[in-house]
Amino acid sequence: EPEVTQTPSHQVTQMGQEVILRCVPISNHLYFYWYRQILGQKVEFLVSFYNNEISEKSEIFDDQFSVERPDGSNFTLKIRSTKLEDSAMYFCASSRDSGPYEQYFGPGTRLTVT
Amino acid sequence: SQQGEEDPQALSIQEGENATMNCSYKTSINNLQWYRQNSGRGLVHLILIRSNEREKHSGRLRVTLDTSKKSSSLLITASRAADTASYFCATPATTSGTYKYIFGTGTRLKVLA
């Protein structure tokens, strides 16, 4: 069964450094998402992406964040200058279409900012 | 804003028993999704139920949706130790035209062998 994959599984970085989190969505899916979950808190929406542009973003997704689909398979989340409060589990998700279609999540990347 | 809140926050049952978790939300929705998360792991999609559906089944899972009460329930029948996880409902942020889902705080289910 097709799955969303994410790399790395765990990333440790120093405050102020740039990080890129990578995702490979399910191959026939057209909509892509990033969510994050700070330890012990709710899963929070960051951004959705369709047709090579951002379709929706939350207030969390400020200028420090960017997303890109550099080729036909990868979908990346970049954090330009990491802060301690960016430490969280970051989940990539994809769906076949918009509207009421299931969003399938990857296993997550645990980002630790020291 | 849309917000799914699960109830109870924690549930502990014996293997073989049924587990029922509830989700309440605030405004109209066109669908609701349930997810499972094992400790420290990713989210596994369980069921999507649309607003014109009252009930949906998948294996040992049964989801109901009552749009008049703005609530949904997830029933796991004949629970197993492997069902131990947190369960979340997720609702779209608006009735239409959104890709953003809002997750509740979850129900932590513990199934004792």
Side-chain angles (χ1 to χ4, degrees):
Chain A
E1 188 172 325
E3 292 180 332
V4 177
T5 60
Q6 290 186 244
T7 54
S9 57
H10 191 189
Q11 173 90 47
V12 181
T13 190
Q14 289 191 325
M15 198 165 51
Q17 295 295 306
E18 174 184 287
V19 293
I20 297 176
L21 310 182
R22 301 179 194 280
C23 166
V24 178
I26 294 173
S27 62
N28 64 345
H29 286 188
L30 301 177
Y31 292 80
F32 315 116
Y33 315 89
W34 284 101
Y35 288 77
R36 79 172 186 190
Q37 185 180 32
I38 295 171
L39 187 64
Q41 298 188 23
K42 294 183 185 183
V43 175
E44 302 173 289
F45 172 85
L46 294 178
V47 66
S48 61
F49 190 86
Y50 168 70
N51 200 25
N52 280 321
E53 58 183 34
I54 291 173
S55 44
E56 198 169 2
K57 61 182 181 179
S58 72
E59 58 277 3
I60 302 168
F61 194 88
D62 61 23
D63 292 344
Q64 292 299 311
F65 292 88
S66 62
V67 289
E68 192 178 31
R69 187 154 163 82
D71 54 44
S73 59
N74 290 285
F75 178 51
T76 62
L77 174 70
K78 182 194 288 187
I79 309 175
R80 289 191 182 82
S81 178
T82 50
K83 307 182 185 80
L84 294 175
E85 54 265 36
D86 293 327
S87 294
M89 183 77 94
Y90 287 81
F91 295 107
C92 173
S94 68
S95 64
R96 185 160 57 93
D97 205 337
S98 64
Y101 277 96
E102 294 86 347
Q103 291 187 9
Y104 291 96
F105 282 69
T109 292
R110 180 168 298 285
L111 176 64
T112 302
V113 182
T114 61
Chain B
S1 63
Q2 296 287 358
Q3 188 171 27
E5 292 295 341
E6 292 87 348
D7 166 59
Q9 289 188 332
L11 181 60
S12 186
I13 59 174
Q14 294 292 326
E15 206 166 28
E17 294 181 338
N18 295 342
T20 300
M21 288 157 271
N22 302 296
C23 168
S24 60
Y25 55 91
K26 293 182 179 175
T27 58
S28 296
I29 58 171
N30 60 6
N31 73 94
L32 181 147
Q33 307 196 45
W34 282 92
Y35 289 86
R36 184 186 76 228
Q37 184 179 37
N38 291 80
S39 180
R41 309 286 296 277
L43 294 158
V44 175
H45 186 272
L46 298 176
I47 288 183
L48 179 151
I49 187 165
R50 290 173 168 74
S51 57
N52 60 355
E53 298 172 310
R54 294 184 63 85
E55 190 170 308
K56 205 162 181 180
H57 296 254
S58 176
R60 293 183 296 111
L61 306 181
R62 173 178 164 250
V63 166
T64 63
L65 180 64
D66 187 335
T67 53
S68 65
K69 294 181 179 178
K70 293 185 171 57
S71 68
S72 174
S73 68
L74 170 66
L75 168 68
I76 304 174
T77 59
S79 63
R80 304 167 183 167
D83 295 327
T84 295
S86 290
Y87 292 82
F88 298 89
C89 66
T91 51
T94 59
T95 310
S96 64
T98 186
Y99 315 96
K100 172 183 177 180
Y101 276 80
I102 296 178
F103 284 74
T105 49
T107 292
R108 294 187 308 280
L109 173 66
K110 188 168 186 178
V111 181
L112 303 169

